[in-house]
Amino acid sequence: MRIISGRYRGRKLIPPRDNEVRPTTDRIKETVFNILAPRIPGARVLDLFAGSGALGIECVSRGADEVIFVDMSPESVALVHRNLKGLDGNFRVVQADYAAALGRLDGRFDIVFIDPPYGSGLGEKAVSEIFARGLLEEDGVICYEHSSDRRYEPQEGAVSREKRMGAVTVDFVRKKTVGMVTGTFDPFTRGHEAVVKEALRLFDEVVVACLVNPEKECMFTPDERVAIARAALSDEPRARVIFSEDTAVDAMKREGADALVRGLRGGEPDEYESAMSDYNRERGADTVFVSPDISGEISSTAAREALRKGDFRLLPEGAIITVGDILDNKRKKGDATA
């Protein structure tokens, strides 16, 4: 066992003598830290089930701002202290059960290592406790090491990137990011589809919220607008469509989204978009602007005018049949908006 990189690169670490304590091998550690390297300088780190302390010590060597080691075993705590001897840094060692320690810790962490005994079920419990107590920074990551014969399923509100290394798997767990694209969507156009696809590059999930605009007389009912958008996005499992009578900010907060996403017809937000962004920010909602290649085809007004002439070209391919069926039904009922 050794420190791989940083100020104390090459320094040997004392391995545990207890066979029940299973240290992370150098090969696995190298893989993990190749992924984590950009996050470590200045990070606040928690090493649960610390064992020898090798993972947290690697972060000390690489410039973490603070590292807290937790283990309930007196032997492991003593070993961590021995391996830390002669190292400079902001760190402390806590002898406690993981749950008790999580209940006492203050603040949030950028990186959390969880390496419990395999098959104990403690890893999943620790991840859940960290999320429940809000101990992870918004862009923080949990590195959960476990046996490859058991797959980890992220809890609601989390996503995981799995890295398998033979008999060992490390899941990099973080908070799910959610963006919200709002509008009347009367109807949902190719431009709207492009905005959602751009949003999916930035967020793990995108909520498309069909809202009410009392100043507009819509061609399609709320149910029809939702059906059209869902048909258009049927091949995007990470996008979901809702109808809401709330404001955009209230809908965003209710759905747990992180930001509103707006499509621009040009490269920079105009005066109206900038004013709306400022207005929403004052109410606790950030706005992310995207500029898809076909942003000129966002206009629902142009799509409605084209539809009245029998032209479906401004619609997403997946929505054409749905819109055609809706318009046929309207004509049969004598609906003047069709």
Side-chain angles (χ1 to χ4, degrees), residues 281-314:
R281 187 181 301 110
E282 291 174 359
R283 283 151 185 80
D286 290 329
T287 302
V288 175
F289 293 104
V290 297
S291 298
D293 290 341
I294 58 170
S295 58
E297 298 177 356
I298 289 176
S299 173
S300 290
T301 300
R304 289 195 300 274
E305 292 174 354
L307 285 174
R308 291 189 175 100
K309 300 174 184 178
D311 184 349
F312 288 67
R313 284 178 294 179
L314 293 183

Side-chain angles (χ1 to χ4, degrees), residues 69-74 77 93-97 104:
F69 301 84
V70 175
D71 204 295
M72 67 180 298
S73 163
V77 167
V93 184
V94 178
Q95 182 179 339
D97 170 77
R104 297 200 302 263

Side-chain angles (χ1 to χ4, degrees), residues 66-110:
E66 180 185 12
V67 181
I68 299 176
F69 301 84
V70 175
D71 204 295
M72 67 180 298
S73 163
E75 292 78 13
S76 292
V77 167
L79 179 59
V80 173
H81 278 296
R82 291 178 67 191
N83 280 327
L84 284 168
K85 190 173 182 180
L87 274 61
D88 292 326
N90 181 19
F91 50 77
R92 59 190 170 103
V93 184
V94 178
Q95 182 179 339
D97 170 77
Y98 82 92
L102 292 177
R104 297 200 302 263
L105 290 171
D106 295 323
R108 295 181 176 182
F109 294 90
D110 301 289

